[in-house]
Amino acid sequence: MVVVAAESHMGKTHFMISTAYEIMTKLGKGVLYVSPEMDRNQVNARMLARITGVDSANIQAQTQSYWQQIAQGVVQLGEMPWQIFEHSTPTTTMIASAVRRSIAEFGGSIGAVFVDYLQQIPLESGGNMAHEVGKITRQIRAIAKEHKIPVFLGCQINRGNQTTADKRPNRHLLRNSGEIFEVCDQLIMLYRDAVYTKDPSDQTIELIVEKNRLYGKLGTATMLCDFSTSRFLNFAR
């Protein structure tokens, strides 16, 4: 289980859309995208932007000058192993059922599941919030273990870093953290300086690896991201 954590507007969804695209196109594996927050049309618009290079805003507005590119992208998306499970309050039981259905429909294998994001999954009423978040995280990891597939879980963080000089996130800022850090196999935290500087020309994004149980290496990778098309590129200084 890979936790992708960040404040709002740092790029969690863009990162997961881009990763899903790479899994489908480079590995030829099916992907299930669980979306409690955005509806199916919004998610597909993000993926179409990644496929076509057309700004997702133009796709959603159906800008006439891009119709041909969008139409070609729709055909390409229709041929890709891409499924969306849209529900405003999905429980882990519902997510597990959606995963089983996708595995069956994809012929017994699946490349990854993306859950966008943890705080949209309803807690049991009356329970301790931190405990319940930890319980949900364990249940999602159990889905990954049962089916032997990676699950990418988006997660919001607290804004405690905003009062510090270095606003980069760390694992202590995981919102209602419970056991998130202990349970996950990898923790990737996203940071964009442009969120604070308001510099529209700054397209750099930092992927801060705080935990890496699978491969061991920790550190920060700086990349370029075109948020209009959810495209991540290697960054050369």
Side-chain angles (χ1 to χ4, degrees):
M1 186 177 73
V2 181
V3 170
V4 181
E7 294 178 52
S8 297
H9 309 299
M10 284 290 174
K12 293 186 300 297
T13 299
H14 292 286
F15 176 77
M16 291 198 283
I17 288 287
S18 182
T19 305
Y21 173 84
E22 296 296 328
I23 289 170
M24 289 188 291
T25 58
K26 301 292 175 60
L27 302 180
K29 297 283 189 178
V31 165
L32 171 66
Y33 200 95
V34 180
S35 182
E37 187 174 38
M38 296 192 300
D39 64 33
R40 182 181 302 273
N41 291 335
Q42 291 173 311
V43 177
N44 278 332
R46 295 280 183 92
M47 184 57 74
L48 277 172
R50 181 63 186 85
I51 292 169
T52 62
V54 175
D55 190 319
S56 59
N58 287 321
I59 291 174
Q60 293 195 68
Q62 299 183 7
T63 304
Q64 187 171 355
S65 58
Y66 294 103
W67 279 1
Q68 184 173 357
Q69 288 171 263
I70 294 171
Q72 291 172 347
V74 169
V75 172
Q76 187 175 341
L77 180 58
E79 295 172 347
M80 293 170 69
W82 170 244
Q83 290 188 354
I84 299 171
F85 175 56
E86 176 194 343
H87 195 286
S88 59
T89 54
T91 64
T92 53
T93 300
M94 293 166 65
I95 293 171
S97 296
V99 170
R100 287 193 292 271
R101 286 196 302 272
S102 289
I103 290 172
E105 291 175 21
F106 284 138
S109 65
I110 189 171
V113 176
F114 293 82
V115 181
D116 188 11
Y117 56 93
L118 172 61
Q119 281 78 14
Q120 293 289 335
I121 299 174
L123 307 176
E124 291 184 5
S125 58
N128 175 276
M129 188 169 290
H131 172 76
E132 290 301 322
V133 169
K135 179 180 176 182
I136 289 170
T137 308
R138 291 194 304 273
Q139 290 171 340
I140 291 176
R141 186 171 189 269
I143 295 171
K145 288 186 67 177
E146 177 185 354
H147 299 291
K148 295 181 174 60
I149 54 174
V151 175
F152 291 79
L153 176 62
C155 179
Q156 290 275 20
I157 67 170
N158 293 320
R159 297 179 179 270
N161 60 320
Q162 292 191 3
T163 60
T164 65
D166 183 2
K167 293 180 171 56
R168 286 167 178 77
N170 60 68
R171 65 184 178 88
H172 302 293
L173 297 172
L174 290 170
R175 181 176 293 178
N176 304 318
S177 59
E179 302 172 45
I180 297 173
F181 183 76
E182 289 75 15
V183 170
C184 73
D185 297 294
Q186 291 180 307
L187 172 60
I188 301 173
M189 309 196 82
L190 308 183
Y191 173 79
R192 289 196 302 134
D193 204 43
V195 171
Y196 298 103
T197 64
K198 309 300 181 183
D199 180 1
S201 67
D202 184 358
Q203 291 187 307
T204 58
I205 183 169
E206 296 179 21
L207 280 60
I208 305 167
V209 181
E210 283 270 301
K211 182 177 182 180
N212 198 350
R213 182 181 288 160
L214 300 179
Y215 304 108
K217 290 186 178 181
L218 304 178
T220 300
T222 302
M223 302 187 75
L224 295 174
C225 180
D226 178 359
F227 273 39
S228 67
T229 61
S230 298
R231 182 168 297 185
F232 284 70
L233 302 169
N234 288 334
F235 177 66
R237 293 187 181 278

